[in-house]
Every structure is written in structure tokens, then in C-alpha cells.
């Protein structure tokens, strides 16, 4: 069948207004579980330092009645430090782009600024969870902070051909051959954390191993819970040493299973450097703003935490 002769249809018309929705759809994730979970630290120098200490091993403490007191040996604290890292995003929009009528946003520059801020927050989460050593920085090299995997050295389940970092942030973890994530790996790390004095509260996993975790033994004890801060549903894993929130994280390395005691980490910003907006000088018919953060990671006591390393990711 065809149209009758001289029928005027939409394909013959000129001047049909466009039908463009007033919404811009974007599914890129913006949740930053680690950054949202850990406390904040006070930072006043690009080399941020803190101290850790341990108690003497417990033992059979018995003294002779009436004997002179013997002085116990004292040990010094351990001084650790991490570098601050600068991360930024710089959107730039022409005057014409701000003047034309747009769909889905009133001002193109404001929209690009909003996007840049969200992108920067994702970058910060990625940096904090990266397996990288700290870098001092100089006139030609950017300073970098040491990420979480570069600090965890005491409580580890890993492939035999990898190697642990020193636990000072000075070196990164050396990856080994990847292997399937099984519950025994997690139990091993949790036992080591407990023996070291830690009380982990969170297991953070990439997407693939979060699904692997869901396939653990039917005898595994889970409890559903809702976190009002992270706005995410998670399982609570009931271990022999307490409960663990199981949180998926898109921005960590998929090969790492991070067993974390959240209060033993902190993120700090230099004063006045926490996601600030700085309009940059105009050099023509454009508007440009730098969104910037200068921050670091404080590993308050790595021995309270653990890692199940070298996991398969597909």
C-alpha cells in the first residue's frame, strides 16, 4: 500500500520542531565507599606524619615476693608518613556555548563544572585504593600518596610468586599469579587480623569477586542490612571474630579483597584545599575553572587490616 496522491505527510513538511528531552541521562557511578567510610585527618604539611605503637607480648608475669622491682625495657614509637597528592579537573567553555539555548541544563559551563566535580571525587577514590608507593615529587614530578594496598603487609593471603610491601608506603605490592577467591582465604586473613589485635569491620571487593563471595558455602552466615550513609545494600558476613560489611567498590583493583578496620584509616586535606573551585584568568572568549583537591591517606595501623590479594577478575 502507498499514500493516496497529494497526501501531505510529515516527511514533506518543513519546520517541525525538534523533540529533545529536557533530561540528560548519565549512568556513570558516583559512589565512593572508601572515601565516605573513613574518618578525616588533620593535615598541615605535604609530608603528613603520624606515630604507631604496640604493646609488649603478653606472658606469664610472676615476681618473687619482696624482690626488688626490675625495670622493663621500653620501645620507641614508629613514625610513618605519606605525601599529599594534588588532583584536579579543569572544564573550559566558550562564551558562545554559554549563550546558546541548551536542552537539559540552563548553562553549559555550570553543567561541565558539576560533571568535573563528580569526576574528581571518583579520581580521589581510585587514588586512595591504588597499589602505588608514595612519591616525594619535585619540579618535574608530581607528588603522589601511597594507596591502601601499598600499606598492608602483616595480614595477607596472596599467591606465592608475589611479595608484600614493607608496610611503610615506600613500595607497592608485587602482584602474583591470580587465583580464585575462596572463603578459606578470607578466614585466614581474619584470623591473622584478630591475632594482631585488629577488628576489621568491612570487606571491600570489586564486582567480579563480590559475585564470587555471594557463591560461598550455604553454611556461610549472612545478614542483610541497609547503610544510610553509603545508600547501598550490602551483606553482613558473620565471621568467627565479628561481623563484616561486604561492600562492592567500582574504583578499587578487582584483584584485591580489602579487609578493613575503617577507623584505622583516614583521609586528610591541606587547609583550604578540599575540593575547591578556582576561576582561572581569561585569555579570550572562554570561561575556565580549576577544581582541585590536595589530600593524603593516613594508615593509622596497617596491622589491623588485611588483604586477600591476587584474585581472578573474570
Amino acid at each position: 500500500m502507498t499514500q493516496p496522491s497529494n497526501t501531505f505527510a510529515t516527511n514533506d513538511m518543513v519546520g517541525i520542531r525538534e523533540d529533545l528531552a529536557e533530561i540528560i541521562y548519565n549512568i556513570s557511578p558516583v559512589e565512593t565507599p572508601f572515601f565516605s567510610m573513613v574518618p578525616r585527618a588533620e593535615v598541615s604539611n605535604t609530608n603528613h606524619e603520624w606515630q604507631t605503637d604496640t604493646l609488649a607480648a603478653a606472658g606469664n608475669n610472676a615476681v618473687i615476693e619482696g624482690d626488688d622491682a626490675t625495670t622493663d625495657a621500653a620501645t620507641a614509637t614508629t613514625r610513618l608518613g605519606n605525601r599529599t597528592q594534588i588532583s584536579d579537573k579543569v572544564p573550559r567553555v566558550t562564551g558562545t556555548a554559554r549563550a546558546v539555548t541548551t536542552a537539559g541544563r540552563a548553562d553549559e559551563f555550570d553543567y561541565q563544572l558539576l560533571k568535573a566535580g563528580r569526576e574528581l571525587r571518583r579520581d580521589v577514590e581510585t587514588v586512595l585504593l591504588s597499589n602505588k608507593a608514595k612519591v616525594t615529587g619535585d619540579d618535574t614530578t608530581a607528588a603522589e600518596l601511597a594507596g591502601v594496598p601499598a600499606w598492608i603487609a602483616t595480614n595477607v593471603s596472596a599467591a606465592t610468586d608475589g611479595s608484600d610491601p614493607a608496610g611503610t608506603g615506600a613500595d607497592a605490592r608485587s602482584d602474583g599469579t591470580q587465583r580464585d577467591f575462596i572463603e578459606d582465604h578470607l578466614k585466614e586473613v581474619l584470623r591473622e587480623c584478630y591475632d594482631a589485635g585488629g577488628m576489621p569491620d568491612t570487606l571491600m571487593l570489586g564486582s567480579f569477586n563480590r559475585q564470587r563471595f555471594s557463591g560461598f558455602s550455604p553454611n556461610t552466615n549472612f545478614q542483610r542490612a541497609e547503610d544510610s550513609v553509603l545508600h547501598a545494600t550490602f551483606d553482613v558476613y558473620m565471621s568467627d571474630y565479628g561481623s563484616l560489611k561486604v561492600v562492592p567498590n567500582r574504583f578499587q583493583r578487582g584483584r584485591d579483597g580489602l579487609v578493613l578496620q575503617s577507623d584505622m584509616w583516614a583521609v586528610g586535606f591541606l587547609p583550604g584545599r578540599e575540593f575547591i573551585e578556582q576561576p582561572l584568568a581569561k585569555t579570550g572568549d572562554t570561561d575556565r575553572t580549576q577544581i582541585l583537591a590536595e589530600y593524603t591517606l593516613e594508615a593509622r595501623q596497617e596491622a589491623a587490616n588485611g588483604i586477600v590479594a591476587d584474585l581472578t577478575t573474570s
Side-chain angles (χ1 to χ4, degrees), residues 83-281:
R83 293 287 173 175
T84 59
Q85 179 167 333
I86 300 173
S87 300
D88 79 345
K89 289 284 182 176
V90 184
R92 186 172 194 164
V93 175
T94 68
T96 304
R98 299 192 71 175
V100 298
T101 300
T102 53
R105 65 279 198 194
D107 185 310
E108 184 64 30
F109 182 74
D110 290 344
Y111 177 68
Q112 294 299 330
L113 198 63
L114 176 64
K115 274 184 61 178
R118 290 175 175 172
E119 290 170 357
L120 180 57
R121 190 177 177 92
R122 287 158 41 116
D123 288 349
V124 168
E125 180 84 349
T126 301
V127 168
L128 294 172
L129 296 173
S130 293
N131 180 37
K132 63 189 186 74
K134 59 186 176 182
V135 177
T136 300
D138 54 34
D139 291 345
T140 59
T141 304
E144 295 187 41
L145 62 82
V148 169
W151 287 98
I152 300 175
T154 302
N155 310 311
V156 178
S157 171
T160 56
D161 57 343
S163 62
D164 300 331
T168 63
D171 60 336
R173 169 168 300 281
S174 177
D175 292 330
T177 303
Q178 291 174 273
R179 70 258 168 81
D180 289 340
F181 183 28
I182 61 174
E183 190 173 4
D184 284 347
H185 296 152
L186 178 59
K187 287 182 174 181
E188 174 191 351
V189 171
L190 287 171
R191 173 180 51 78
E192 291 175 349
C193 289
Y194 177 81
D195 288 344
M199 292 295 291
D201 52 55
T202 302
L203 171 61
M204 201 164 282
L205 297 165
S207 59
F208 180 80
N209 285 302
R210 179 61 182 85
Q211 286 189 323
R212 291 278 305 183
F213 175 84
S214 296
F216 279 2
S217 164
N219 297 323
T220 300
N221 192 359
F222 296 113
Q223 176 184 349
R224 299 300 295 180
E226 186 71 21
D227 188 312
S228 62
V229 176
L230 298 178
H231 305 289
T233 301
F234 51 77
D235 284 324
V236 174
Y237 174 74
M238 307 302 293
S239 79
D240 295 321
Y241 312 105
S243 60
L244 284 177
K245 292 184 295 185
V246 185
V247 181
N249 193 325
R250 296 177 175 93
F251 303 111
Q252 74 177 79
R253 298 203 312 164
R255 64 185 295 137
D256 296 335
L258 301 174
V259 181
L260 305 174
Q261 183 172 328
S262 55
D263 63 351
M264 288 293 113
W265 301 93
V267 176
F269 295 83
L270 280 175
R273 307 279 282 175
E274 182 174 355
F275 298 109
I276 60 172
E277 295 181 14
Q278 301 179 140
L280 301 178

